[in-house]
Amino acid sequence: MADLIHVRRTCRLCDSPDLVCSVKLAEVPIVSPNVGTENDPSGQRLTRIVAPLDNYLCQKCGLNQL
Ligand SMILES: [Zn+2]
């Protein structure tokens, strides 16, 4: 399976690599009936794939982005 999550290392507006983490947030699970779900031994559904939500500030153009 192809990677579901890609973390950019450059600004999505100006393509500068000069990004700093401006807000660090907890990862969140991707909730979809089609992605990364399995049942644990008791039959409960598990969501095993999480996505990062950290915000990054571009030092060149000022864009704040996920
Ligand atoms: Zn930028």
Side-chain angles (χ1 to χ4, degrees), residues 10-16 18-19 57-63 65:
T10 58
C11 175
R12 63 181 59 239
L13 181 63
C14 72
D15 209 34
S16 169
D18 193 8
L19 301 175
L57 178 65
C58 176
Q59 297 292 293
K60 182 177 177 187
C61 75
L63 180 68
Q65 54 208 286

Side-chain angles (χ1 to χ4, degrees), residues 35-56:
V35 177
T37 54
E38 302 170 358
N39 292 333
D40 71 8
S42 68
Q44 291 284 337
R45 272 195 130 174
L46 301 173
T47 301
R48 295 187 180 275
I49 299 174
V50 294
L53 278 185
D54 295 339
N55 281 259
Y56 287 86

